[in-house]
Amino acid sequence: MPHTTVETVGAAGARPDPRWGDLEHLRRTSPMTDAVLDEVRGRHIRCGNHWLIDFASCNYLGFDYDPDVIAAIEPAVRRWGTHPSWSRLLGSPRIYPEIEERLTELLEAPDTLLLPTATLIHASVIPILADGGDVFVEATAHRTVYDGCAAARGQGATLHRFQGGDPGQLDAMLRTVPSRAPRLVCLDGVNSMSGNIPDVRELAAVCRRSGATLYIDDTHGFGVIGERRPDELCPYGARGNSVVRHAGESYDDIVLVGGFSKAYSSLLAFLALPTSLKSLLKVAAAPYLYSGPSPTASLATTLAGLEVNDRRGDAIRADIHRKTATVLDHVHGLGLDTPNADGLPIVEIMLDDPADLDAVALSLWGSGIYVTLAAYPLVPRDRVGFRIQITALNSEDDIATLCEALTRLSKQFALRRRED
Ligand SMILES: Cc1ncc(COP(=O)(O)O)c(C=O)c1O
């Protein structure tokens, strides 16, 4: 087994927080958590002697093994060294503005700013935008968005929670706060668990009526969904240029955050924003001032990924859509519930009894299927289960093996069933 038993101890002798008990149990007992992998061949991974099909990868476009993307690394490293260790405020290799220009054109945004990760962006930019005013965070927003909102609260902002599926509730909440202070509304674009797309048009209209800024984290949507066009190859839309363009919205009063660490397989993230805000962040956002930047390899794979996206991205997305439809048809055929309503390659399956998670994980492991386990408190107790991600590198055979494993699993365990 890849895991040894460890004592649960808090940092510096502090008592462990009981909220983390379920996750710590899973970390100690499940081979699918905190695993060490010995070999990776595309979406086939080896842990010890056990080969598994990887349905936990977020490398949606398969750029992690794309020959054109891989070939871009060595020339860039020879030219720039392995790592530009200046903070961005000190200096950026020209590859940075090249990516920003291309990205601005792809997103059709006023401007863009690159920083190493979305996590760092949320932690530093949300407090700046909140500016001690009111922050409204969507109930299912990603933990890193919540952390940014908590940091804003620490700097004097007031935090509120709203349900993304109920723009009327947000509207009513926005009306109750004094209009003088800044108001910021934060949520996921494509939701990292349900895989669903929020109603950006409606939410943007609500925000604009109240003078609030809409801050969207579309780390999972960027590269997968994009502008709708009559000639699009699938309902994800074209170009993979993210949720604002997918909704046909303008960037007025919207700040979009996206990451290259999912679809583009590169350690880099961005903000789409007005140039005036970009200038402010260049002196106010700690990661621009102080953080080590992304490694050259990631900058090179991002630039190459943008080129491959222009040439082949839409065909890749159509392929992901088709494979995802096969999985979703199978899940529906088994009568299982999944929140996935938009057909995106994130398929969450929930358990009737959260206590089954250990055994469900072992059964999937035995079937050679590797997924993301969703334990409490990563998700609420009634959402405990697992998440399947489908990427371009999952073959038809991989998908067939997954479907067979799900059929067996649904006979062994009480997976949440759809209520008709
Ligand atoms: C919605 C969302 N935002 C942010 C992140 C973190 O992104 P990064 O790796 O760029 O910090 C993740 C990764 O799980 C995510 O799912």
Side-chain angles (χ1 to χ4, degrees):
M1 291 290 283
H3 285 263
T4 52
T5 304
V6 293
E7 288 297 310
T8 308
V9 286
R15 266 189 312 188
D17 186 329
R19 275 179 311 165
W20 301 108
D22 289 20
L23 192 54
E24 171 57 12
H25 171 78
L26 202 65
R27 197 187 70 76
R28 278 190 284 115
T29 58
S30 171
M32 207 127 60
T33 313
D34 205 17
V36 174
L37 304 171
D38 296 295
E39 195 175 344
V40 178
R41 291 187 194 164
R43 291 296 170 267
H44 291 194
I45 56 180
R46 181 170 63 80
C47 185
N49 293 324
H50 195 55
W51 279 96
L52 299 127
I53 306 170
D54 183 5
F55 287 103
S57 170
C58 291
N59 292 309
Y60 297 114
L61 297 174
F63 285 177
D64 48 334
Y65 278 89
D66 189 289
D68 293 342
V69 174
I70 291 173
I73 296 173
E74 193 180 333
V77 169
R78 292 212 175 279
R79 183 165 177 203
W80 299 108
T82 58
H83 186 237
S85 83
W86 313 286
S87 77
R88 287 215 60 196
L89 183 66
L90 277 183
S92 302
R94 179 152 302 285
I95 200 166
Y96 266 104
E98 281 172 14
I99 296 170
E100 284 175 349
E101 277 161 30
R102 267 198 104 125
L103 182 62
T104 301
E105 186 275 322
L106 173 66
L107 298 172
E108 299 176 38
D111 210 336
T112 54
L113 176 69
L114 298 173
L115 288 170
T117 66
T119 305
L120 280 172
I121 289 176
H122 298 328
S124 57
V125 175
I126 291 176
I128 293 169
L129 293 175
D131 196 18
D134 286 276
V135 178
F136 299 80
V137 60
E138 202 278 321
T140 62
H142 194 258
R143 162 74 185 269
T144 55
V145 174
Y146 263 96
D147 284 353
C149 294
R153 181 170 54 192
Q155 295 175 33
T158 306
L159 203 50
H160 313 261
R161 231 165 85 117
F162 73 98
Q163 305 290 332
D166 185 0
Q169 181 201 31
L170 175 65
D171 198 21
M173 289 169 84
L174 281 165
R175 287 172 199 277
T176 63
V177 297
S179 57
R180 289 181 311 280
R183 272 158 296 171
L184 184 67
V185 173
C186 303
L187 79 160
D188 283 14
V190 169
N191 186 275
S192 62
M193 289 308 296
S194 70
N196 289 334
I197 306 172
D199 187 345
V200 170
R201 286 190 86 92
E202 181 63 26
L203 290 164
V206 167
C207 287
R208 286 180 189 133
R209 272 202 295 277
S210 296
T213 300
L214 184 58
Y215 179 96
I216 309 175
D217 172 355
D218 198 30
T219 291
H220 282 273
F222 174 64
V224 178
I225 59 169
E227 64 195 54
R228 306 303 311 266
R229 291 208 308 226
D231 63 345
E232 67 192 18
L233 300 185
C234 78
Y236 295 166
R239 303 183 76 200
N241 51 8
S242 195
V243 70
V244 175
R245 295 299 302 120
H246 187 75
E249 259 300 337
S250 79
Y251 288 88
D252 294 349
D253 307 308
I254 295 180
V255 172
L256 174 72
V257 175
F260 290 95
S261 69
K262 314 265 180 229
Y264 278 73
S265 313
S266 305
L267 188 81
L268 190 64
F270 68 82
L271 292 127
L273 71 188
T275 304
S276 56
L277 178 58
K278 176 172 175 172
S279 301
L280 169 68
L281 295 182
K282 283 185 171 188
V283 292
Y288 198 88
L289 273 61
Y290 304 114
S291 291
S294 295
T296 305
S298 275
L299 300 172
T301 53
T302 298
L303 200 52
L306 289 166
E307 276 167 29
V308 174
N309 180 61
D310 278 355
R311 279 187 277 119
R312 293 191 260 120
D314 285 341
I316 297 173
R317 281 178 280 275
D319 181 52
I320 301 170
H321 175 262
R322 196 175 41 76
K323 288 170 179 162
T324 303
T326 304
V327 175
L328 283 171
D329 283 352
H330 191 76
V331 165
H332 294 147
L334 292 171
L336 301 181
D337 192 14
T338 172
N340 186 315
D342 292 327
L344 294 183
I346 300 174
V347 181
E348 187 185 352
I349 305 285
M350 294 145 303
L351 311 183
D352 276 348
D353 183 356
D356 280 346
L357 187 59
D358 256 350
V360 164
L362 262 184
S363 172
L364 285 167
W365 181 266
S367 298
I369 302 292
Y370 196 73
V371 295
T372 305
L373 299 182
Y376 177 84
L378 300 180
V379 292
R381 284 203 194 280
D382 65 351
R383 292 282 287 268
V384 165
F386 58 94
R387 185 181 74 174
I388 300 160
Q389 275 121 229
I390 297 105
T391 67
L393 287 188
N394 289 119
S395 67
E396 307 287 345
D397 283 352
D398 293 347
I399 301 285
T401 308
L402 170 70
C403 291
E404 284 161 21
L406 289 174
T407 302
R408 278 196 300 280
L409 201 70
S410 70
K411 289 179 184 154
Q412 285 176 294
F413 296 97
L415 307 182
R416 178 94 38 92
R417 301 191 74 75
R418 203 155 47 151
E419 287 170 17
D420 290 316

